[in-house]
Amino acid sequence: MDKIVINYYLIHKGQQRLKNKHLPADERRAVTIEAVVDLAAKQNPNDITTAAIAKHMSLTQGALFRHFPNKEAIWQAVMSWVAERLLTRVDKAAKSAATPLAALEAVFMTHIEFVFAHPGVPRMLFGELQRAENTAAKRMARTLLQKYATRLSVLIEQGKVDGEIDPAVDTSAAATLFIGTIQGLVMQSLLVGETTNIVNKVADVFAIYRRGIERH
């Protein structure tokens, strides 16, 4: 089965799941999260209503509220989904690399692949972090960034020990720059409305970051 056929199969399968009105509770919650991420890729996440989510899933709002008490609970579930999947992929990428610098590059590429595969995710993260209210979803988004930075700091410190990274590099600043570089690339893709040119620059962008921290 070639890539195009596989993609069609997955998309068709996802659409069928959305239309299925008799899914088990856990799967219904998972499909709801997928629906929100899908909607967030097409419109401002702040404008997504429970009515729009229900319509996207071919459900009534009453059916939706049988699994989530309110919109805030849905957003909290989405942030949990994002954190679990992103950190799992990041950890897997880091463990597959032979050296700390190679691990940082693998994490960088994996993160970019994740957000471009799920364009609604960065929209929701940016939206939550900009909210004035200290919601549960916003706290989870902040926690995700903190856990992510901690993982990066561990790799950077190990790189110093192994002689790959300049010991004079400020670990916290390097981790912040790593995350900020990814956020900048994602923001550019959102502004221009397409990802091809940004994706083509990813390797060169990381190479510049690498030259700034590696030991010469």
Side-chain angles (χ1 to χ4, degrees), residues 170-183:
D170 184 300
T171 297
S172 178
T176 299
L177 179 60
F178 185 103
I179 295 172
T181 301
I182 291 176
Q183 290 174 332

Side-chain angles (χ1 to χ4, degrees), residues 17 23-33 67-68:
R17 289 175 69 205
L23 295 174
D26 287 346
E27 190 168 357
R28 171 63 67 202
R29 284 190 284 270
V31 173
T32 302
I33 291 169
H67 303 287
F68 296 95

Side-chain angles (χ1 to χ4, degrees), residues 128-171:
E128 284 302 318
L129 291 171
Q130 290 173 12
R131 289 179 65 174
E133 313 95 302
N134 188 26
T135 64
K138 181 177 180 178
R139 290 194 296 273
M140 293 180 74
R142 275 203 307 259
T143 299
L144 166 59
L145 290 177
Q146 291 166 356
K147 288 182 177 180
Y148 193 97
T150 297
R151 284 163 165 78
L152 295 175
S153 295
V154 169
L155 291 175
I156 293 166
E157 285 296 315
Q158 187 59 51
K160 292 180 182 181
V161 172
D162 293 355
E164 279 195 308
I165 295 177
D166 188 338
V169 166
D170 184 300
T171 297

Side-chain angles (χ1 to χ4, degrees), residues 1 6 8 12 19 21 38 47 49 54 76 78 84 100 113 123 125-126 137 142 151 162 176 195 207-208:
M1 194 182 299
I6 290 173
Y8 173 81
H12 179 70
K19 293 177 181 178
K21 294 180 172 58
D38 186 41
D47 295 336
T49 63
Q76 188 173 348
V78 172
E84 178 185 352
E113 290 170 1
R123 288 174 178 269
L125 280 172
F126 290 145
R142 275 203 307 259
R151 284 163 165 78
D162 293 355
T176 299
T195 61
I208 294 172

Side-chain angles (χ1 to χ4, degrees), residues 10-203:
L10 291 174
I11 292 171
H12 179 70
K13 183 178 180 181
Q15 290 172 339
Q16 288 301 111
R17 289 175 69 205
L18 285 175
K19 293 177 181 178
N20 191 333
K21 294 180 172 58
H22 305 290
L23 295 174
D26 287 346
E27 190 168 357
R28 171 63 67 202
R29 284 190 284 270
V31 173
T32 302
I33 291 169
E34 292 173 10
V36 173
V37 173
D38 186 41
L39 285 170
K42 303 170 185 175
Q43 65 184 90
N44 185 338
N46 293 332
D47 295 336
I48 298 174
T49 63
T50 53
I53 298 169
K55 181 179 179 181
H56 188 71
M57 299 174 66
S58 300
L59 296 175
T60 64
Q61 287 193 71
L64 186 63
F65 287 137
R66 282 200 290 271
H67 303 287
F68 296 95
N70 50 45
K71 181 179 175 179
E72 178 59 28
I74 297 175
W75 254 238
Q76 188 173 348
V78 172
M79 288 299 108
S80 177
W81 180 92
V82 170
E84 178 185 352
R85 278 157 182 75
L86 178 58
L87 292 178
T88 296
R89 293 190 185 195
V90 162
D91 289 341
K92 182 177 179 180
K95 289 177 182 177
S96 68
T99 69
L101 267 179
L104 286 170
E105 182 172 5
V107 168
F108 193 91
M109 300 304 174
T110 296
H111 191 156
I112 292 292
E113 290 170 1
F114 179 80
V115 295
F116 284 152
H118 306 286
V121 167
R123 288 174 178 269
M124 296 197 71
L125 280 172
F126 290 145
E128 284 302 318
L129 291 171
Q130 290 173 12
R131 289 179 65 174
E133 313 95 302
N134 188 26
T135 64
K138 181 177 180 178
R139 290 194 296 273
M140 293 180 74
R142 275 203 307 259
T143 299
L144 166 59
L145 290 177
Q146 291 166 356
K147 288 182 177 180
Y148 193 97
T150 297
R151 284 163 165 78
L152 295 175
S153 295
V154 169
L155 291 175
I156 293 166
E157 285 296 315
Q158 187 59 51
K160 292 180 182 181
V161 172
D162 293 355
E164 279 195 308
I165 295 177
D166 188 338
V169 166
D170 184 300
T171 297
S172 178
T176 299
L177 179 60
F178 185 103
I179 295 172
T181 301
I182 291 176
Q183 290 174 332
L185 287 169
V186 173
M187 185 64 72
Q188 286 184 60
S189 73
L190 293 176
L191 289 172
V192 301
E194 60 90 23
T195 61
T196 303
N197 290 334
I198 304 300
V199 169
N200 291 337
K201 297 175 182 175
V202 170

